[in-house]
Amino acid sequence: MFENLQDRLGSILNGLTGRGALSEADVSAALREVRRALLEADVALEVVRGFTDRVREKAVGAEVLKSIKPGQMVVKIVHDELVEMLGATGVSIDLNAPAPVVIMMVGLQGSGKTTTTGKIANRLTTREKKKVLMASLDTRRPAAQEQLRQLGAQTGVDTLPIIAGQSPTDIAARAVQAARLGGHDVVILDTAGRTHIDEPLMLEMAEIKRKSNPHEILLVADALTGQDAVNLARNFDERVGITGLVLTRMDGDGRGGAALSMRAVTGKPIKLIGVGEKMSELDEFHPRRVADRILGMGDIVSLVEKAAENIDAEKAAAMAAKMKSGKFDLNDLADQLKQMQKMGGMGGIMGLMPGMAGMKDKLAAAGMDDRMFKRQLAIISSMTKAERANPDLLKHSRKKRIASGSGTDASEINKLLKMHRQMADMMKAMGGKKGGGMMKQMMGGLAGKMGLGGMGGMGGMPDLSKMDPKELEALARQAEAAGLGKGLPGGMGGLPGLGGKLPGLGGLPGLPGLPKKK
């Protein structure tokens, strides 16, 4: 979503950090470029003006221009203002009200209200263990009520029985009554939309609000809308009074202007973002993490959360035991590739790693993208059980058979085997008993740098899987304060000890797939 803006701001701010001293003219020239980049990203003009004025006011002060690293101070000011523009802290859906808590979904037609209703209901049911009732108030769009009923069946969430001929306000009143009688904790009202804002729509929304007395009114907006999203948010807020925003299609290739503008204009928090079509693909909105990503600082907390959600704990424990014994066969490699795919593939992981956002294009240009993973998995799937457990069996005739079975050629099989050998060697080194093992040493080193030497776990490192997101955020800030955010060996900012030697990411020292530096 923010790739273009990230590239533009990254190049502008890198130009500042590379200088020993800054003049007011340097800051003004950089802010002109920042202003242009934000306008190109479809951020509303009034928001851009306010943003650049606030940054200029802080950045041209004497304490910045005379500080030891003025360029980095300007980057920090831009980052802090970006966080402020997006909302200083993440705000989740407020359920602190007598049951049933009524959530009313509003927005234009086609913005994704019905799908988002299903996603929120699924999230509240699985994560918060709430009993949810969904009700469709859309009597105009063909099969709208049936669509919500299908989503309810898919996610196992109750939906209000459809009665033909009822008006939206009557359905709203019936939904609240049914939720009260059925012992539901939450009732979500999926209202009708229009292709544009008109008076009948606003009167209907106001009447539904009066009848159902919602605790939350969430405006669902398409993140690809652009500058018109500001007028949309302002109109709904003035007429109905929204309590928060939900942005859909944040996984799209839009410029991200809506996300940056709507919060600043309405003062209402962005509570959730839709990042895909599946019912599980709805995330909380964390302003600081989004600002970090826009400025290419990565997002280690989200990466750890994603890993905790997608990585099978039992498989991970079995892998750790294998690593300790120095064993690593092609079945293990296939598991690693599948885990990476689950976590969003190479691009998704790179985007969250500090200092690695710029690597994505280089990797893609060298053919190191998610299609390569699929080919590698196809190669491994075409092997027999014995070949996967013992790659040394793979001689020319077997490789020929595997190539025809997987639709690849011998050179790709050789690349895969080379990558496997390097990973196996690294696993052996990490699991070695001498000195407690490389993994234990490097984790202990990280803990020491962060002042966590007394904590249990791997050589003083806390167990990230047992920490909640707030503790992880505190840990990330601690790491940043300790100077672990950037500039670590191999450009792996924040991941010490790896030194750029991640197998399978060629081009970094010792990794096949990309050309080595000459």
Side-chain angles (χ1 to χ4, degrees):
M1 170 58 75
F2 296 108
E3 275 186 12
N4 291 340
L5 183 59
Q6 183 181 323
D7 292 344
R8 288 291 306 276
L9 290 180
S11 60
I12 295 162
L13 297 173
N14 282 343
L16 286 180
T17 52
R19 300 184 191 189
L22 290 180
S23 64
E24 277 192 38
D26 292 332
V27 173
S28 295
L31 284 177
R32 269 197 304 276
E33 290 299 314
V34 168
R35 178 191 174 101
R36 193 172 294 151
L38 290 170
L39 287 172
E40 282 179 13
D42 259 346
V43 181
L45 179 61
E46 60 189 287
V47 177
V48 176
R49 277 185 184 147
F51 178 81
T52 49
D53 288 349
R54 288 193 303 275
V55 173
R56 181 179 284 109
E57 197 179 302
K58 293 177 182 176
V60 296
E63 69 277 5
V64 172
L65 298 180
K66 290 179 183 175
S67 64
I68 299 167
K69 293 181 178 175
Q72 289 186 2
M73 283 294 287
V74 173
V75 173
K76 185 185 184 307
I77 291 165
V78 170
H79 176 266
D80 291 347
E81 285 302 325
L82 207 50
V83 172
E84 198 58 40
M85 186 160 83
L86 290 164
T89 53
V91 181
S92 55
I93 290 177
D94 181 16
L95 299 177
N96 189 19
V101 180
V102 181
I103 299 173
M104 180 176 162
M105 312 291 284
V106 300
L108 293 185
Q109 199 170 324
S111 59
K113 282 194 306 301
T114 303
T115 306
T116 303
T117 298
K119 286 181 177 181
I120 292 174
N122 181 54
R123 185 185 182 87
L124 294 177
T125 305
T126 53
R127 294 196 179 198
E128 311 274 337
K129 305 300 179 208
K130 300 290 182 188
K131 190 179 180 187
V132 182
L133 176 70
M134 298 190 290
S136 174
L137 278 54
D138 191 347
T139 55
R140 289 179 181 80
R141 184 166 63 89
Q145 292 178 305
E146 177 59 23
Q147 183 191 350
L148 192 68
R149 192 190 69 76
Q150 294 277 5
L151 289 175
Q154 185 184 325
T155 54
V157 175
D158 295 339
T159 51
L160 188 74
I162 301 164
I163 297 177
Q166 271 199 320
S167 71
T169 47
D170 289 342
I171 297 171
R174 180 163 65 92
V176 176
Q177 182 66 14
R180 194 171 284 123
L181 294 172
H184 291 86
D185 302 305
V186 180
V187 57
I188 307 178
L189 304 177
D190 176 26
T191 65
R194 303 279 193 286
T195 52
H196 60 280
I197 292 167
D198 60 9
E199 193 58 27
L201 170 70
M202 290 306 182
L203 288 172
E204 186 180 287
M205 295 297 116
E207 184 61 20
I208 292 168
K209 181 184 176 183
R210 190 183 67 76
K211 277 265 181 141
S212 60
N213 190 26
H215 184 62
E216 284 268 29
I217 301 176
L218 300 178
L219 171 63
V220 181
D222 190 332
L224 308 182
T225 310
Q227 292 212 12
D228 197 45
V230 173
N231 300 325
L232 169 77
R234 194 180 272 133
N235 278 322
F236 268 103
D237 192 32
E238 284 170 0
R239 296 297 299 273
V240 189
I242 61 174
T243 59
L245 303 157
V246 181
L247 292 180
T248 58
R249 294 209 273 185
M250 284 290 281
D251 56 324
D253 56 1
R255 297 170 185 173
L260 297 174
S261 306
M262 290 169 87
R263 163 64 179 77
V265 168
T266 62
K268 299 297 191 296
I270 299 169
K271 297 200 169 189
L272 297 162
I273 52 173
V275 291
E277 290 296 315
K278 293 176 188 169
M279 285 292 107
S280 59
E281 291 179 325
L282 185 74
D283 291 346
E284 282 185 11
F285 184 79
H286 296 280
R288 185 171 291 278
R289 299 189 201 178
V290 173
D292 286 350
R293 279 189 231 181
I294 291 173
L295 295 181
M297 296 175 182
D299 183 358
I300 283 295
V301 179
S302 287
L303 186 60
V304 172
E305 281 183 353
K306 202 174 257 194
E309 279 178 27
N310 291 296
I311 290 174
D312 187 320
E314 286 182 17
K315 277 189 179 178
M319 176 66 73
K322 272 197 165 187
M323 272 173 61
K324 210 166 184 183
S325 63
K327 289 176 186 170
F328 184 79
D329 61 24
L330 287 166
N331 287 314
D332 299 321
L333 178 58
D335 282 341
Q336 296 287 298
L337 295 173
K338 284 172 189 168
Q339 297 284 19
M340 281 190 79
Q341 282 184 327
K342 273 190 194 173
M343 287 173 65
M346 182 77 79
I349 294 170
M350 285 285 182
L352 297 174
M353 288 171 72
M356 294 294 280
M359 282 291 294
K360 281 196 286 186
D361 296 336
K362 292 175 189 172
L363 290 167
M368 288 285 294
D369 56 15
D370 295 332
R371 284 172 300 180
M372 185 199 79
F373 287 164
K374 285 178 183 171
R375 286 197 301 273
Q376 290 180 335
L377 283 167
I379 291 169
I380 296 171
S381 300
S382 298
M383 295 176 188
T384 64
K385 205 172 179 180
E387 287 166 348
R388 287 198 290 270
N390 184 11
D392 293 335
L393 293 173
L394 294 172
K395 303 300 180 223
H396 179 69
S397 60
R398 289 180 185 245
K399 285 180 187 175
K400 203 171 172 184
R401 188 201 79 243
I402 293 163
S404 61
S406 59
T408 55
D409 55 41
S411 67
E412 287 194 73
I413 295 170
N414 289 334
K415 272 184 197 171
L416 175 72
L417 293 173
K418 185 180 177 186
M419 179 172 122
H420 168 260
R421 270 197 306 275
Q422 292 196 338
M423 283 186 85
D425 290 345
M426 192 176 89
M427 296 298 180
K428 208 172 276 183
M430 281 184 166
K433 292 192 175 75
K434 193 177 178 184
M438 188 201 297
M439 177 68 88
K440 191 170 179 181
Q441 283 178 15
M442 78 184 192
M443 293 304 259
L446 169 63
K449 281 187 184 179
M450 290 169 63
L452 301 168
M455 296 185 78
M458 297 177 72
M461 185 64 184
D463 184 354
L464 298 179
S465 65
K466 291 178 183 167
M467 297 176 78
D468 65 31
K470 283 180 184 170
E471 289 176 310
L472 286 167
E473 294 229 33
L475 196 61
R477 282 197 293 275
Q478 213 174 339
E480 204 177 299
L484 293 173
K486 286 190 175 179
L488 287 161
M492 293 297 301
L495 297 179
L498 296 183
K501 294 184 181 176
L502 283 178
L505 304 182
L508 299 169
L511 310 179
L514 282 181
K516 302 271 190 291
K517 287 182 183 173
K518 289 178 183 172

